[in-house]
Amino acid sequence: MNDDAQTNDLASPVDFDEIKKTIDANNAAADRLFVPSPLIERLLWQVCGAWETVIEEVRFFHYVLDEDPPNEPPFPRPDGENVARDMRRIARKINLVLPNDAMWTAECKRAKTMRDDLGHMLHFRSVDGTTPEQTVTFVRVPYREADEMSTDGPSGWARHNRRTVTITEQDTRKVLAGLAWVKESIFGLRKFGMEFATWPDDRSIEDVLSILPWWVDTWGPQPGDEGWTAPTMRQMRIHPKADFDASLPPDMRPEF
């Protein structure tokens, strides 16, 4: 084999600048997903994409927190009915205090209801109005409902049932804003429960307070109110750091 042939067999050099450009472009597109479009048809698609984004972010935690994540089926899939519950479970698992036991439930319930309507849509009936007061009406399949299809025994006729759904632009924007907050909360879980897991209990979180998307009443007045102070990492945690770390398997304890 000559030198030219050997050279052609070598893998092409990795262009890290191009890889970075691709990553940056993907991140920018993902951020734009949560900027509501003035076109209601696009806005509805944004809700679908935002809901799937939240689903995948929650699923990612199964891999991050699992000692031995699967590399072949069956892969863990978050239950769409219980995304908020899974997030609260994750918070407990990584030792984070939450304001209440209903965190994210309302936002996820609204999003799933709208996404399910859109996921079983057949066709538009009408798109009316102008932004920000647009309304879309469409027909959908009553998927897995009791009267989804029926038959008339004597006549031999079979019938498809259809449901008509109307969604307003304002409701859609509300759902998208709620999902944006849920996504910010997932980022907060990862930062405070994992990346900052090595921080001592007495460390203040004032310098990273801007990425904290919730507030616990026992921390006192909220930022901007008179007499407020930034919580410490101990206030963020369910259990003191030393006790929590000791409860983990040695290979899962945060490394200093």
Side-chain angles (χ1 to χ4, degrees):
M1 181 181 294
N2 60 40
D3 291 340
D4 289 340
Q6 290 178 340
T7 300
N8 291 334
D9 287 341
L10 296 177
S12 301
V14 177
D15 190 334
F16 290 104
D17 287 339
E18 285 300 317
I19 292 175
K20 185 178 184 305
K21 288 180 182 178
T22 300
I23 293 173
D24 289 345
N26 288 339
N27 289 338
D31 289 339
R32 289 196 299 272
L33 172 65
F34 292 90
V35 179
S37 171
L39 300 176
I40 194 167
E41 296 93 338
R42 177 179 172 84
L43 186 60
L44 294 174
W45 274 112
Q46 286 180 278
V47 166
C48 293
W51 178 241
E52 290 302 317
T53 296
V54 167
I55 290 280
E56 286 301 293
E57 292 285 349
V58 173
R59 186 164 76 103
F60 182 66
F61 269 102
H62 285 283
Y63 286 81
V64 173
L65 298 177
D66 196 329
E67 294 180 354
D68 185 24
N71 292 315
E72 58 185 27
F75 298 110
R77 295 289 302 182
D79 181 355
E81 297 283 352
N82 295 297
V83 172
R85 184 199 63 184
D86 283 351
M87 289 176 63
R88 294 191 295 268
R89 177 190 57 77
I90 288 166
R92 291 191 298 271
K93 189 167 185 177
I94 57 182
N95 197 31
L96 287 183
V97 172
L98 295 177
N100 57 66
D101 293 334
M103 281 281 286
W104 309 300
T105 294
E107 291 76 16
C108 289
K109 184 176 181 179
R110 281 196 299 267
K112 185 179 186 302
T113 297
M114 186 172 289
R115 187 272 168 201
D116 285 353
D117 281 338
L118 295 169
H120 298 294
M121 183 183 74
L122 293 169
H123 58 82
F124 284 118
R125 279 265 181 90
S126 63
V127 179
D128 302 302
T130 58
T131 188
E133 302 294 338
Q134 297 173 100
T135 299
V136 60
T137 300
F138 59 87
V139 176
R140 61 154 289 184
V141 175
Y143 182 63
R144 290 186 176 179
E145 294 182 13
D147 60 346
E148 177 182 356
M149 295 187 184
S150 61
T151 58
D152 184 343
S155 65
W157 288 95
R159 180 178 64 89
H160 291 277
N161 192 22
R162 297 289 184 257
R163 286 208 291 114
T164 300
V165 177
T166 297
I167 298 178
T168 68
E169 180 179 355
Q170 292 299 321
D171 285 344
T172 311
R173 285 173 176 266
K174 183 177 181 180
V175 167
L176 188 63
L179 288 173
W181 178 66
V182 172
K183 185 175 182 294
E184 290 172 5
S185 297
I186 294 172
F187 182 75
L189 292 175
R190 179 163 58 84
K191 284 289 186 178
F192 289 98
M194 302 176 74
E195 185 173 329
F196 304 155
T198 60
W199 289 9
D201 280 341
D202 60 357
R203 177 165 175 170
S204 170
I205 67 165
E206 185 168 5
D207 58 341
V208 292
L209 196 61
S210 62
I211 63 174
L212 180 66
W214 64 81
W215 191 263
V216 178
D217 288 342
T218 57
W219 297 346
Q222 296 194 23
D225 294 341
E226 184 178 355
W228 86 275
T229 57
T232 63
M233 284 302 296
R234 174 64 190 98
Q235 290 173 284
M236 292 284 301
R237 290 167 172 151
I238 300 172
H239 306 289
K241 174 175 168 52
D243 294 347
F244 179 70
D245 289 355
S247 71
L248 298 173
D251 60 338
M252 293 186 67
R253 294 171 187 170
E255 297 180 1
F256 291 92

